[in-house]
Structures are given as C-alpha cells and as structure tokens.
Amino acid sequence: MAIDPEDRLICTSADSIEGQGPHSVAQPIAQTSLFTFDTFEALSAGLDDEYRNSVYTRGRNPTVQALEDKLAKLERGEACKVFASGMAAVSSVILGLAEKGDHIVFVNQVYGPTLELAEHLTRFGISYDYIPGGALADIEQALRAETRLIWLESPGTMLFELVDIESITELARERGVTTVMDNSWATPLFQKPITMGVDIVVHSCTKYLGGHSDLVAGAVIASDEVLEQIFYRAFLLNGAAVGPFDAWLTTRGLRTLPVRMEQHESGAVCVATYLQEHERVAHVFHPAVTGDRSLLDKQMDGTAGLFSFELKDADFAVIRSTLNALNVFRLGVSWGGFESLAISPNRGTNVENLEAAGIPLGLIRLSVGQEDVDSLIEDLEQALAR
Ligand SMILES: *Cc1c(COP(=O)(O)O)cnc(C)c1O
C-alpha cells in the first residue's frame, strides 16, 4: 500500500538542532548529561520548566528532542517524549495518568509484559480487565465508572487481529475514558491512531523505528498537556531517559523507515501467502493475507513484516525441530530489524498459559527482515520438508 509523501519528507529531512551549525546534514550528538547557563537566573528559569528546556539529559536533550519532533509529526500528534525502552514508555503512561482506585481495560492480544505490569499495579490499587478480542460489546461491558484507560493493540501481538479503532475511541469519548494505542507493529507510516481519535500512542522504537537491532528505546506521543503530566509524574522520576546516542541511532533509522517498511511488507505478504498454501500449515495470521480486509482498508495504509502461522501438528517436538532446521531465519526475541527471526510462544513448559491466552500451541512467529524473499521461502521449504 502507499506511504504518505509528507511522511517520507519527515523521515528523511535533515534537522539542525539548538546550538549547532545549520549545515550538518546528520545531527551532531549532544552527548552530555547537563547543560550550563551563563547566569544563575537563566539556570533557574530552565529548572522552572524542565519539560521545555534542556537542563539535564534525564529530562530533555536536544538530540533526543530532534527525534521527538519527528515522531510527533509522523503520528500527527502535538508532542512526543522518547524513553529508554518501549516498556519505559508503557509504564510511564500508566503511572503518569492512573490514580489509586482507577481501572484499565486492555483490548486485543496485548504485549505480554504490558499485562504483567498491570498485574503488578494491582498492588497499588489499580485494577484491570483484559479482553483478548476487540468486540465492542465486551469492551462496553468491562467499562466501569472508575475506568481511566482503554489500552489497545491493533494488530494485536501474536495473532495480529485488528480492532475497529474508531468505534472504540467513540465509545471511550462518550464515557470520558482516555485511549492508548501501542502502534509499534504498524509504525506511523502504516497507521495513525491519533487521526482516528486515539489520545496517546506508544512505541517500542527498538523494533521498526530503530530498525537495525542495535538499540532499545520507546516513545509516547500525546497532546502537550497529557505529555507534560506524564513527564512530571513519571518520566523525570522513573529516570528511564534514553541516551543521546541511541536517540541519534533511532533518527538515523527513520531515514530508511519508508523503504524498509515497503520491503518488510512485500516480503512478509509473499512468505505468508506461501505458507498459507503449505500442507503442514493449519492457519496463517497476517492482517493482509487472512485478516479483516475492510478494517485493514479503513484504518491502515500498509502492513508490516511480523506475522505468525500455526502448524497442523502442534506437538512441541515438531515445533522445536522445525525451528532448529531454519538457517536464514535466526532464532531470537524481538523483531523489526534487518534480520529475519523465528520464535514460538510454545516453549514446551507453558502450555496452560497459552491455552488460557487463546494462543494456538502450534504457533510460530516470523519477523521477515530485509533478505531476498526467495531465500526465506527456500529456508522454510526445507525446514518444513523434514
Ligand atoms: C517489544 C514491544 C514492546 C516493549 O518494547 P521494549 O523496547 O522491548 O521495551 C512493547 N510493545 C510491543 C508491541 C512490543 O513488541
């Protein structure tokens, strides 16, 4: 599908940053922990507004700020903060906004550690409900007077099902509930939740935005008012600030995000289509190949390289030997990099958890990287022939 020309300009544009010459096409890195001021009055004024001034890198840093500006523009949001990891972004949104007694509704297959965090927060009087699918009636039923957040993932983790974003944000607005979307999978190039009424977008920049499997970072995009609250109540105090160099690497990753996403998209659709016809495959979970086409056309501009498929024979020994037979696909966690990866949520010891979560036991997840698609298909062909 198509990438917005404006987004290509945002990704590839050179930005000069505060205090640096205007001619450096790649941003110089402000590799510094603190900033000095000519007068004590100027320092004091900076400290009065650490959200908007570079005083100390745990709060704000111009190299990080350059990345934040780009991500806010790409998501069509007002403001962005970049964090030391995706989970730092996730936890800061919740800790920055939720009060004791508040309730959160998680919708669709949500990233595992996000739900783990929710479970831990019950210790502090924050409760939650988890709805594995996206049915509006189920969400409506889960809402309470004290519901503060609806947390969405679309496509969801592992099964990549879409939820109807606009109908959910409409319901949330009626009930005065803030919506959050983890948009790591689609990236802002292929989905812009804020334009569909979502209040807050979070990202793991570790995945496609960085794109080279050489950094860990996260981001939150929201209105300036909401982000400032998250900044003072969580970001600055949790101390999960990203280092300037990792922010710089992420900005460098953005330069090639459009071309990488096009390659991830076409490669994954080819591999998924191949697998769908394979006699050993029961089902492919890919939004463009087997998903809800009308939702996809309505709310997405493209699809990414991460999807899963289910083996007919879900025996753990078969999963293990299939994964071990792969040569081009490497075995590893994470996704969104140049390298193709394979993993199964079934580790042989967690069958009960998978069944409770509605995850098929024969599931294998693939992250299609930047390699030649024929090499990837050949690799799967020989692994599935065993
Ligand atoms: C990886 C991931 C995260 C967490 O990001 P980290 O950078 O690993 O902390 C959050 N959400 C989704 C969907 C992810 O895949």
Side-chain angles (χ1 to χ4, degrees):
M1 285 194 263
I3 292 173
D4 188 333
E6 189 184 334
D7 289 344
R8 279 186 202 271
L9 284 178
I10 298 168
C11 285
T12 55
S13 68
D15 294 332
S16 61
I17 58 175
E18 295 166 39
Q20 308 282 354
H23 301 303
S24 170
V25 67
Q27 293 155 16
I29 305 174
Q31 189 71 29
T32 182
S33 60
L34 68 106
F35 302 83
T36 59
F37 294 77
D38 290 338
T39 64
F40 184 56
E41 291 88 327
L43 169 57
S44 294
L47 275 173
D48 284 342
D49 189 0
E50 276 195 85
Y51 178 63
R52 288 179 189 82
N53 294 296
S54 294
V55 176
Y56 187 48
T57 288
R58 174 154 57 75
R60 184 175 153 130
N61 172 289
T63 308
V64 182
Q65 182 64 39
L67 171 61
E68 291 167 349
D69 288 347
K70 278 183 188 257
L71 292 178
K73 280 186 195 151
L74 285 171
E75 287 287 4
R76 309 294 188 262
E78 258 176 39
C80 168
K81 281 309 290 180
V82 169
F83 294 71
S85 69
M87 276 312 294
V90 167
S91 58
S92 295
V93 167
I94 298 177
L95 294 173
L97 299 182
E99 310 286 344
K100 180 177 163 192
D102 279 353
H103 173 250
I104 304 171
V105 177
F106 292 90
V107 175
N108 211 5
Q109 292 286 340
V110 168
Y111 182 63
T114 301
L115 286 176
E116 248 177 83
L117 172 69
E119 185 55 37
H120 278 284
L121 292 179
T122 59
R123 289 190 281 130
F124 301 98
I126 296 168
S127 63
Y128 74 98
D129 276 300
Y130 172 45
I131 297 164
L136 200 62
D138 294 343
I139 299 169
E140 201 160 4
Q141 202 164 32
L143 291 179
R144 303 182 198 158
E146 58 275 21
T147 304
R148 176 75 179 92
L149 299 173
I150 296 178
W151 191 283
L152 307 165
E153 238 176 80
S154 180
T157 285
M158 287 301 169
L159 301 182
F160 308 99
E161 277 168 17
L162 307 186
V163 300
D164 186 338
I165 298 170
E166 278 180 334
S167 69
I168 296 171
T169 56
E170 200 175 307
L171 170 68
R173 256 197 311 270
E174 276 168 21
R175 301 296 192 88
V177 179
T178 300
T179 46
V180 188
M181 167 74 81
D182 185 331
N183 203 30
S184 304
W185 190 91
T187 82
L189 299 187
F190 287 159
Q191 180 165 271
K192 291 183 167 58
I194 289 173
T195 66
M196 292 181 270
V198 170
D199 298 302
I200 301 170
V201 169
V202 304
H203 278 285
S204 169
C205 305
T206 313
K207 316 293 168 47
Y208 288 127
L209 301 182
H212 294 73
S213 302
D214 53 9
L215 65 91
V216 175
V220 175
I221 298 98
S223 72
D224 210 38
E225 189 187 346
V226 166
L227 202 66
E228 189 164 356
Q229 183 179 345
I230 292 169
F231 178 82
Y232 282 111
R233 292 177 45 149
F235 178 84
L236 202 50
L237 303 175
N238 287 348
V242 71
F245 184 60
D246 283 348
W248 185 90
L249 282 174
T250 309
T251 302
R252 191 175 71 159
L254 286 185
R255 310 256 189 239
T256 56
L257 184 65
V259 287
R260 284 187 290 107
M261 291 313 290
E262 283 168 338
Q263 178 73 18
H264 287 303
E265 172 172 51
S266 63
V269 168
C270 283
V271 174
T273 306
Y274 158 78
L275 285 169
Q276 203 189 5
E277 281 153 22
H278 200 286
E279 59 181 14
R280 289 193 51 205
V281 173
H283 192 72
V284 167
F285 300 89
H286 185 300
V289 178
T290 52
D292 182 332
R293 191 76 216 184
S294 66
L295 269 187
L296 179 71
D297 290 342
K298 186 175 143 204
Q299 58 195 36
M300 301 193 75
D301 296 314
T303 54
L306 185 77
F307 71 98
S308 61
F309 66 97
E310 182 188 354
L311 287 174
K312 282 180 184 159
D313 185 351
D315 190 54
F316 179 62
V318 174
I319 290 184
R320 198 174 50 192
S321 64
T322 306
L323 287 173
N324 283 336
L326 291 167
N327 297 316
V328 182
F329 282 91
R330 299 166 185 234
L331 308 184
V333 297
S334 195
W335 47 273
F338 56 89
E339 76 290 13
S340 287
L341 294 168
I343 196 170
S344 173
N346 185 351
R347 296 203 302 277
T349 52
N350 56 340
V351 167
E352 273 172 32
N353 294 348
L354 294 174
E355 280 172 343
I359 306 276
L361 298 183
L363 205 75
I364 291 179
R365 189 188 75 176
L366 299 179
S367 176
V368 169
Q370 300 285 307
E371 302 91 340
D372 182 74
V373 70
D374 292 334
S375 317
L376 298 175
I377 290 175
E378 270 168 40
D379 195 29
L380 288 163
E381 179 86 17
Q382 61 83 25
L384 290 169
R386 302 207 178 185

